Amino acid sequence: MDILTHKENGVLSISFNRPEKKNAITASMYQAMADALKDGEADAAIRAILISGRPEIFTAGNDLEDFMKNAPSTAQGGTPPVYQFMQALSQSSKPVVAAVSGAAVGIGTTLLMHCDLVYLADNAKLSMPFTRLGLCPEFASSMLFPQIVGYPRAAEKLMLGEAFSAQDAWDMGLATKVLPLEELLPYAQKQAAKLAALPANSIRTTKRLMKGNQAAAIVAKMEEENKNFGEMLKAPEAKEAFTAFFEKRKPDFSKFS
C-alpha cells in the first residue's frame, strides 16, 4: 500500500509508503488520503491526526508522470483527488500533526501550512519549486506562507523555489520544533496522543478560534491559485520545464517573455 492508515487510541495516522518512488504522490494516493481524512472527521473516536513519511523522505511531491496523465482539473466536473485531499486537510476540525524527515517537495511543504503542529527532523529539506516548473503556488500557500513567515522570506522561497533546511523553517516560524531524526516520529506520536487525551470539544473550539474567519479566504485563494495553476500548466513555460525534466536537462526559459 502506497498510503498506510491506522487508528489507535484516538489518533488517525496517515503515512506515505512508496519509498521506491521517493513517496511521489499519485492521484490514487491523494484519493486514499482524502478518504482517510474524511473518515477521520466523521469518526467521533478520532481526536487527532498524524501525517508522516519515511525516515529518508517525506515526499518528493507529485509523481510527474502520473500528474501529466491525470492533471487535476474541475473542467470536466467532479473534484480531483488532490483537491479533495487538500480541502479535507484545510477544513479538518481536528488537530493535525505533521512529522517530516528528508525532502518535502512542492505539496509536501504546502500541506504543512494547513497542519497545526509541524515537527521536522534535522535532515528535513523543504522546497516549493513551482516557478522552476513554470507554475505558481498552490492551495492557498501564496496567502498562508507570507502570513506565517513574513513577506520578504516568503517571496524568496516562493519566487526562487530553492530548498531550505529544517533550521530555516524553524527560524521562519513554519516549524513547531526540530528534532534529531531518531526522535522525530516518537515525539510526534506522543504529541498527537496528548491532543487525543484532552477534551475533544476544547481542542476543536480552540483550533476554530485561532483559525478565525480564514476558512472562506483560504477557499477563495485556493480557487484563484488553482485557476492560474491550470492555465499555466498548459503554457509553453511549463511544457519546457516538464520536457526538460523528462529529458534530464536544464530548461531554457530565455525564449519566453
Side-chain angles (χ1 to χ4, degrees), residues 146-202:
Q147 286 179 356
I148 295 167
V149 310
Y151 182 87
R153 287 179 290 191
E156 181 181 54
K157 304 309 179 190
L158 286 174
M159 290 182 179
L160 294 177
E162 295 173 342
F164 53 101
S165 69
Q167 186 62 45
D168 287 337
W170 188 83
D171 289 341
M172 290 189 293
L174 181 61
T176 308
K177 191 177 183 71
V178 178
L179 301 114
L181 176 58
E182 65 274 11
E183 297 178 18
L184 174 70
L185 190 56
Y187 188 87
Q189 290 170 333
K190 182 178 72 173
Q191 297 301 88
K194 285 182 183 178
L195 289 167
L198 289 167
N201 187 49
S202 294

Short mmCIF file of all heavy atoms in Angstrom, two decimals, residues 146-202:
data_model
loop_
_atom_site.label_atom_id
_atom_site.label_comp_id
_atom_site.label_asym_id
_atom_site.label_seq_id
_atom_site.Cartn_x
_atom_site.Cartn_y
_atom_site.Cartn_z
N PRO A 146 3.21 33.80 3.41
CA PRO A 146 3.59 35.14 3.87
C PRO A 146 3.02 35.46 5.26
O PRO A 146 3.69 36.15 6.05
CB PRO A 146 3.00 36.07 2.81
CG PRO A 146 2.89 35.22 1.59
CD PRO A 146 2.54 33.85 2.10
N GLN A 147 1.83 34.97 5.57
CA GLN A 147 1.26 35.20 6.89
C GLN A 147 2.11 34.55 7.98
O GLN A 147 2.30 35.11 9.06
CB GLN A 147 -0.17 34.65 6.97
CG GLN A 147 -1.21 35.46 6.22
CD GLN A 147 -2.60 34.85 6.32
OE1 GLN A 147 -2.77 33.77 6.88
NE2 GLN A 147 -3.58 35.53 5.77
N ILE A 148 2.62 33.35 7.69
CA ILE A 148 3.38 32.59 8.68
C ILE A 148 4.79 33.12 8.84
O ILE A 148 5.27 33.30 9.97
CB ILE A 148 3.41 31.10 8.29
CG1 ILE A 148 2.00 30.49 8.35
CG2 ILE A 148 4.35 30.31 9.21
CD1 ILE A 148 1.89 29.13 7.70
N VAL A 149 5.48 33.38 7.73
CA VAL A 149 6.92 33.69 7.81
C VAL A 149 7.26 35.14 7.49
O VAL A 149 8.41 35.55 7.66
CB VAL A 149 7.74 32.76 6.89
CG1 VAL A 149 7.36 31.30 7.12
CG2 VAL A 149 7.56 33.12 5.40
N GLY A 150 6.28 35.92 7.01
CA GLY A 150 6.56 37.28 6.59
C GLY A 150 6.80 37.35 5.09
O GLY A 150 7.32 36.41 4.49
N TYR A 151 6.43 38.49 4.49
CA TYR A 151 6.50 38.60 3.03
C TYR A 151 7.91 38.43 2.46
O TYR A 151 8.09 37.66 1.50
CB TYR A 151 5.91 39.93 2.56
CG TYR A 151 5.92 40.05 1.06
CD1 TYR A 151 4.87 39.55 0.30
CD2 TYR A 151 7.00 40.62 0.38
CE1 TYR A 151 4.89 39.63 -1.09
CE2 TYR A 151 7.04 40.70 -1.00
CZ TYR A 151 5.98 40.20 -1.73
OH TYR A 151 6.01 40.26 -3.10
N PRO A 152 8.95 39.13 2.97
CA PRO A 152 10.26 39.02 2.32
C PRO A 152 10.80 37.59 2.25
O PRO A 152 11.33 37.17 1.22
CB PRO A 152 11.16 39.91 3.20
CG PRO A 152 10.22 40.90 3.82
CD PRO A 152 8.97 40.10 4.08
N ARG A 153 10.66 36.84 3.35
CA ARG A 153 11.16 35.47 3.33
C ARG A 153 10.29 34.56 2.48
O ARG A 153 10.79 33.67 1.79
CB ARG A 153 11.26 34.94 4.78
CG ARG A 153 12.42 35.57 5.54
CD ARG A 153 12.52 35.10 6.96
NE ARG A 153 11.43 35.59 7.79
CZ ARG A 153 11.41 35.49 9.11
NH1 ARG A 153 12.41 34.91 9.76
NH2 ARG A 153 10.40 35.96 9.81
N ALA A 154 8.98 34.81 2.51
CA ALA A 154 8.08 34.03 1.65
C ALA A 154 8.39 34.29 0.17
O ALA A 154 8.40 33.36 -0.64
CB ALA A 154 6.63 34.37 1.95
N ALA A 155 8.65 35.55 -0.16
CA ALA A 155 8.96 35.91 -1.55
C ALA A 155 10.21 35.18 -2.03
O ALA A 155 10.26 34.67 -3.16
CB ALA A 155 9.13 37.42 -1.68
N GLU A 156 11.22 35.13 -1.17
CA GLU A 156 12.46 34.45 -1.56
C GLU A 156 12.22 32.97 -1.84
O GLU A 156 12.68 32.43 -2.85
CB GLU A 156 13.51 34.60 -0.46
CG GLU A 156 14.83 33.94 -0.80
CD GLU A 156 15.84 34.08 0.31
OE1 GLU A 156 15.53 33.69 1.46
OE2 GLU A 156 16.96 34.57 0.03
N LYS A 157 11.48 32.30 -0.95
CA LYS A 157 11.27 30.87 -1.10
C LYS A 157 10.32 30.55 -2.25
O LYS A 157 10.53 29.59 -3.00
CB LYS A 157 10.73 30.26 0.20
CG LYS A 157 11.59 30.51 1.43
CD LYS A 157 13.05 30.15 1.21
CE LYS A 157 13.89 30.43 2.45
NZ LYS A 157 15.33 30.32 2.19
N LEU A 158 9.25 31.34 -2.41
CA LEU A 158 8.26 31.05 -3.45
C LEU A 158 8.72 31.51 -4.83
O LEU A 158 8.43 30.85 -5.84
CB LEU A 158 6.93 31.71 -3.11
CG LEU A 158 6.12 31.05 -2.00
CD1 LEU A 158 4.89 31.88 -1.64
CD2 LEU A 158 5.69 29.64 -2.39
N MET A 159 9.44 32.63 -4.90
CA MET A 159 9.87 33.12 -6.21
C MET A 159 11.07 32.36 -6.75
O MET A 159 11.12 32.00 -7.93
CB MET A 159 10.16 34.62 -6.15
CG MET A 159 8.92 35.48 -5.97
SD MET A 159 9.33 37.25 -5.97
CE MET A 159 7.69 37.96 -5.77
N LEU A 160 12.07 32.10 -5.90
CA LEU A 160 13.26 31.39 -6.35
C LEU A 160 13.06 29.88 -6.34
O LEU A 160 13.73 29.16 -7.07
CB LEU A 160 14.47 31.76 -5.47
CG LEU A 160 14.94 33.21 -5.58
CD1 LEU A 160 16.09 33.47 -4.62
CD2 LEU A 160 15.35 33.54 -7.01
N GLY A 161 12.16 29.39 -5.50
CA GLY A 161 11.86 27.96 -5.47
C GLY A 161 12.98 27.11 -4.93
O GLY A 161 13.04 25.90 -5.19
N GLU A 162 13.89 27.72 -4.17
CA GLU A 162 15.05 26.98 -3.66
C GLU A 162 14.71 26.25 -2.36
O GLU A 162 13.87 26.68 -1.58
CB GLU A 162 16.21 27.95 -3.42
CG GLU A 162 16.73 28.59 -4.69
CD GLU A 162 17.77 29.67 -4.45
OE1 GLU A 162 17.86 30.17 -3.30
OE2 GLU A 162 18.48 30.03 -5.41
N ALA A 163 15.39 25.14 -2.15
CA ALA A 163 15.16 24.34 -0.94
C ALA A 163 15.71 25.06 0.28
O ALA A 163 16.64 25.85 0.20
CB ALA A 163 15.82 22.97 -1.09
N PHE A 164 15.11 24.77 1.45
CA PHE A 164 15.59 25.34 2.70
C PHE A 164 15.55 24.27 3.79
O PHE A 164 14.81 23.30 3.71
CB PHE A 164 14.82 26.59 3.10
CG PHE A 164 13.32 26.46 3.15
CD1 PHE A 164 12.64 26.31 4.35
CD2 PHE A 164 12.56 26.52 1.97
CE1 PHE A 164 11.26 26.22 4.40
CE2 PHE A 164 11.17 26.43 2.02
CZ PHE A 164 10.52 26.27 3.24
N SER A 165 16.37 24.46 4.79
CA SER A 165 16.59 23.45 5.82
C SER A 165 15.53 23.48 6.91
O SER A 165 14.73 24.42 7.01
CB SER A 165 17.96 23.66 6.46
OG SER A 165 17.95 24.86 7.24
N ALA A 166 15.56 22.45 7.75
CA ALA A 166 14.67 22.40 8.90
C ALA A 166 14.92 23.58 9.83
O ALA A 166 13.98 24.19 10.35
CB ALA A 166 14.88 21.08 9.65
N GLN A 167 16.18 23.92 10.01
CA GLN A 167 16.51 25.06 10.88
C GLN A 167 15.96 26.35 10.31
O GLN A 167 15.43 27.20 11.04
CB GLN A 167 18.03 25.17 11.06
CG GLN A 167 18.46 26.25 12.06
CD GLN A 167 17.96 25.98 13.47
OE1 GLN A 167 18.03 24.87 13.97
NE2 GLN A 167 17.42 27.02 14.10
N ASP A 168 16.07 26.52 8.98
CA ASP A 168 15.50 27.70 8.33
C ASP A 168 13.99 27.75 8.55
O ASP A 168 13.42 28.81 8.84
CB ASP A 168 15.79 27.70 6.83
CG ASP A 168 17.24 28.02 6.50
OD1 ASP A 168 17.91 28.64 7.34
OD2 ASP A 168 17.69 27.63 5.41
N ALA A 169 13.33 26.61 8.41
CA ALA A 169 11.88 26.54 8.60
C ALA A 169 11.50 26.92 10.03
O ALA A 169 10.50 27.63 10.25
CB ALA A 169 11.37 25.14 8.27
N TRP A 170 12.29 26.46 11.00
CA TRP A 170 12.02 26.80 12.39
C TRP A 170 12.27 28.28 12.64
O TRP A 170 11.47 28.96 13.30
CB TRP A 170 12.88 25.96 13.32
CG TRP A 170 12.48 26.13 14.77
CD1 TRP A 170 11.48 25.51 15.44
CD2 TRP A 170 13.07 27.04 15.71
NE1 TRP A 170 11.39 25.95 16.74
CE2 TRP A 170 12.36 26.89 16.93
CE3 TRP A 170 14.13 27.95 15.64
CZ2 TRP A 170 12.68 27.63 18.07
CZ3 TRP A 170 14.45 28.68 16.77
CH2 TRP A 170 13.74 28.52 17.96
N ASP A 171 13.36 28.80 12.10
CA ASP A 171 13.68 30.22 12.27
C ASP A 171 12.58 31.11 11.70
O ASP A 171 12.29 32.18 12.25
CB ASP A 171 15.02 30.56 11.59
CG ASP A 171 16.21 29.97 12.31
OD1 ASP A 171 16.08 29.60 13.49
OD2 ASP A 171 17.29 29.85 11.67
N MET A 172 11.96 30.67 10.60
CA MET A 172 10.91 31.47 9.96
C MET A 172 9.56 31.32 10.64
O MET A 172 8.65 32.10 10.38
CB MET A 172 10.77 31.05 8.49
CG MET A 172 11.94 31.45 7.61
SD MET A 172 11.62 31.16 5.85
CE MET A 172 11.54 29.39 5.79
N GLY A 173 9.41 30.30 11.48
CA GLY A 173 8.13 30.09 12.15
C GLY A 173 7.23 29.08 11.49
O GLY A 173 6.07 28.92 11.89
N LEU A 174 7.75 28.35 10.49
CA LEU A 174 6.93 27.34 9.82
C LEU A 174 6.88 26.05 10.63
O LEU A 174 5.90 25.31 10.55
CB LEU A 174 7.49 27.06 8.42
CG LEU A 174 6.74 26.03 7.56
CD1 LEU A 174 5.31 26.48 7.30
CD2 LEU A 174 7.47 25.79 6.24
N ALA A 175 7.93 25.77 11.40
CA ALA A 175 8.01 24.53 12.17
C ALA A 175 7.78 24.78 13.65
O ALA A 175 8.16 25.82 14.19
CB ALA A 175 9.37 23.87 11.96
N THR A 176 7.17 23.80 14.31
CA THR A 176 6.95 23.87 15.75
C THR A 176 8.23 23.51 16.51
O THR A 176 8.54 24.13 17.53
CB THR A 176 5.83 22.90 16.16
OG1 THR A 176 4.67 23.15 15.35
CG2 THR A 176 5.45 23.06 17.62
N LYS A 177 8.95 22.52 15.99
CA LYS A 177 10.15 22.04 16.67
C LYS A 177 11.00 21.24 15.69
O LYS A 177 10.45 20.60 14.79
CB LYS A 177 9.77 21.16 17.87
CG LYS A 177 10.90 20.79 18.83
CD LYS A 177 10.34 19.97 19.99
CE LYS A 177 11.40 19.64 21.03
NZ LYS A 177 11.81 20.81 21.81
N VAL A 178 12.32 21.28 15.85
CA VAL A 178 13.24 20.47 15.06
C VAL A 178 13.88 19.46 16.01
O VAL A 178 14.34 19.82 17.09
CB VAL A 178 14.33 21.33 14.38
CG1 VAL A 178 15.31 20.44 13.62
CG2 VAL A 178 13.69 22.35 13.44
N LEU A 179 13.88 18.19 15.57
CA LEU A 179 14.40 17.12 16.42
C LEU A 179 15.38 16.24 15.67
O LEU A 179 15.36 16.19 14.43
CB LEU A 179 13.24 16.24 16.91
CG LEU A 179 12.14 16.91 17.71
CD1 LEU A 179 10.84 16.88 16.95
CD2 LEU A 179 11.97 16.24 19.05
N PRO A 180 16.25 15.52 16.40
CA PRO A 180 17.07 14.51 15.74
C PRO A 180 16.17 13.48 15.06
O PRO A 180 15.08 13.18 15.56
CB PRO A 180 17.86 13.88 16.90
CG PRO A 180 17.86 14.92 17.96
CD PRO A 180 16.54 15.63 17.84
N LEU A 181 16.62 12.95 13.94
CA LEU A 181 15.80 12.05 13.14
C LEU A 181 15.21 10.91 13.97
O LEU A 181 14.01 10.62 13.85
CB LEU A 181 16.63 11.47 11.99
CG LEU A 181 15.95 10.42 11.11
CD1 LEU A 181 14.68 10.96 10.48
CD2 LEU A 181 16.92 9.91 10.05
N GLU A 182 16.02 10.28 14.81
CA GLU A 182 15.54 9.12 15.56
C GLU A 182 14.47 9.49 16.61
O GLU A 182 13.72 8.63 17.06
CB GLU A 182 16.71 8.40 16.23
CG GLU A 182 17.45 9.18 17.29
CD GLU A 182 18.55 10.08 16.73
OE1 GLU A 182 18.60 10.25 15.49
OE2 GLU A 182 19.37 10.58 17.54
N GLU A 183 14.38 10.77 16.95
CA GLU A 183 13.41 11.20 17.95
C GLU A 183 12.11 11.72 17.32
O GLU A 183 11.11 11.90 18.03
CB GLU A 183 14.01 12.30 18.83
CG GLU A 183 15.20 11.86 19.65
CD GLU A 183 15.79 13.00 20.47
OE1 GLU A 183 15.09 14.02 20.66
OE2 GLU A 183 16.95 12.89 20.90
N LEU A 184 12.14 11.98 16.02
CA LEU A 184 11.03 12.67 15.38
C LEU A 184 9.69 11.97 15.54
O LEU A 184 8.74 12.53 16.10
CB LEU A 184 11.32 12.87 13.88
CG LEU A 184 10.14 13.47 13.07
CD1 LEU A 184 9.91 14.92 13.45
CD2 LEU A 184 10.38 13.31 11.58
N LEU A 185 9.56 10.75 15.00
CA LEU A 185 8.27 10.09 15.00
C LEU A 185 7.77 9.78 16.41
O LEU A 185 6.59 10.04 16.70
CB LEU A 185 8.31 8.82 14.14
CG LEU A 185 6.96 8.17 13.85
CD1 LEU A 185 6.00 9.16 13.20
CD2 LEU A 185 7.13 6.95 12.96
N PRO A 186 8.60 9.25 17.32
CA PRO A 186 8.11 9.03 18.68
C PRO A 186 7.60 10.31 19.34
O PRO A 186 6.58 10.28 20.05
CB PRO A 186 9.34 8.47 19.42
CG PRO A 186 10.17 7.85 18.35
CD PRO A 186 9.97 8.72 17.15
N TYR A 187 8.30 11.42 19.10
CA TYR A 187 7.87 12.69 19.70
C TYR A 187 6.54 13.14 19.11
O TYR A 187 5.63 13.56 19.85
CB TYR A 187 8.94 13.76 19.48
CG TYR A 187 8.66 15.05 20.22
CD1 TYR A 187 9.09 15.22 21.53
CD2 TYR A 187 7.97 16.09 19.61
CE1 TYR A 187 8.83 16.40 22.22
CE2 TYR A 187 7.71 17.27 20.28
CZ TYR A 187 8.14 17.43 21.59
OH TYR A 187 7.87 18.60 22.27
N ALA A 188 6.43 13.09 17.78
CA ALA A 188 5.17 13.50 17.13
C ALA A 188 4.01 12.61 17.57
O ALA A 188 2.89 13.10 17.80
CB ALA A 188 5.33 13.46 15.61
N GLN A 189 4.26 11.32 17.69
CA GLN A 189 3.23 10.40 18.18
C GLN A 189 2.81 10.74 19.60
O GLN A 189 1.62 10.70 19.94
CB GLN A 189 3.74 8.96 18.10
CG GLN A 189 3.89 8.43 16.68
CD GLN A 189 4.62 7.10 16.61
OE1 GLN A 189 5.44 6.77 17.48
NE2 GLN A 189 4.34 6.31 15.58
N LYS A 190 3.78 11.10 20.43
CA LYS A 190 3.49 11.47 21.81
C LYS A 190 2.64 12.74 21.86
O LYS A 190 1.67 12.82 22.64
CB LYS A 190 4.78 11.69 22.59
CG LYS A 190 4.59 12.05 24.06
CD LYS A 190 5.91 12.22 24.79
CE LYS A 190 6.60 13.50 24.35
NZ LYS A 190 7.83 13.78 25.15
N GLN A 191 2.96 13.71 21.02
CA GLN A 191 2.19 14.96 21.00
C GLN A 191 0.76 14.72 20.49
O GLN A 191 -0.20 15.30 21.00
CB GLN A 191 2.89 16.00 20.13
CG GLN A 191 4.26 16.44 20.63
CD GLN A 191 4.23 17.05 22.01
OE1 GLN A 191 4.32 16.34 23.02
NE2 GLN A 191 4.09 18.37 22.07
N ALA A 192 0.62 13.87 19.47
CA ALA A 192 -0.71 13.54 18.96
C ALA A 192 -1.52 12.83 20.04
O ALA A 192 -2.73 13.08 20.21
CB ALA A 192 -0.60 12.66 17.72
N ALA A 193 -0.87 11.94 20.81
CA ALA A 193 -1.55 11.23 21.90
C ALA A 193 -1.99 12.20 22.98
O ALA A 193 -3.08 12.05 23.57
CB ALA A 193 -0.62 10.17 22.48
N LYS A 194 -1.19 13.22 23.26
CA LYS A 194 -1.57 14.24 24.25
C LYS A 194 -2.84 14.96 23.80
O LYS A 194 -3.76 15.19 24.59
CB LYS A 194 -0.44 15.25 24.42
CG LYS A 194 0.76 14.78 25.21
CD LYS A 194 1.75 15.94 25.31
CE LYS A 194 3.02 15.57 26.03
NZ LYS A 194 3.98 16.71 26.06
N LEU A 195 -2.86 15.33 22.52
CA LEU A 195 -4.03 16.02 21.98
C LEU A 195 -5.28 15.13 22.09
O LEU A 195 -6.36 15.60 22.44
CB LEU A 195 -3.80 16.41 20.52
CG LEU A 195 -2.79 17.54 20.29
CD1 LEU A 195 -2.41 17.61 18.81
CD2 LEU A 195 -3.37 18.88 20.75
N ALA A 196 -5.11 13.85 21.76
CA ALA A 196 -6.23 12.92 21.79
C ALA A 196 -6.77 12.71 23.20
O ALA A 196 -7.95 12.39 23.38
CB ALA A 196 -5.82 11.58 21.18
N ALA A 197 -5.93 12.91 24.20
CA ALA A 197 -6.34 12.69 25.59
C ALA A 197 -7.04 13.90 26.20
O ALA A 197 -7.70 13.77 27.24
CB ALA A 197 -5.11 12.33 26.44
N LEU A 198 -6.93 15.05 25.55
CA LEU A 198 -7.56 16.27 26.07
C LEU A 198 -9.03 16.33 25.63
O LEU A 198 -9.45 15.60 24.72
CB LEU A 198 -6.79 17.48 25.56
CG LEU A 198 -5.40 17.67 26.18
CD1 LEU A 198 -4.61 18.71 25.40
CD2 LEU A 198 -5.52 18.07 27.65
N PRO A 199 -9.83 17.20 26.28
CA PRO A 199 -11.25 17.31 25.90
C PRO A 199 -11.40 17.67 24.42
O PRO A 199 -10.89 18.71 23.98
CB PRO A 199 -11.78 18.43 26.80
CG PRO A 199 -10.86 18.42 27.98
CD PRO A 199 -9.52 18.06 27.43
N ALA A 200 -12.05 16.82 23.66
CA ALA A 200 -12.14 16.99 22.20
C ALA A 200 -12.76 18.32 21.81
O ALA A 200 -12.28 19.00 20.90
CB ALA A 200 -12.92 15.83 21.59
N ASN A 201 -13.84 18.70 22.48
CA ASN A 201 -14.52 19.94 22.14
C ASN A 201 -13.65 21.16 22.42
O ASN A 201 -13.65 22.14 21.66
CB ASN A 201 -15.85 20.07 22.89
CG ASN A 201 -16.66 21.26 22.42
OD1 ASN A 201 -16.86 21.47 21.22
ND2 ASN A 201 -17.12 22.07 23.37
N SER A 202 -12.87 21.10 23.50
CA SER A 202 -11.96 22.20 23.82
C SER A 202 -10.91 22.37 22.74
O SER A 202 -10.59 23.49 22.34
CB SER A 202 -11.29 21.95 25.18
OG SER A 202 -12.22 21.98 26.22
#
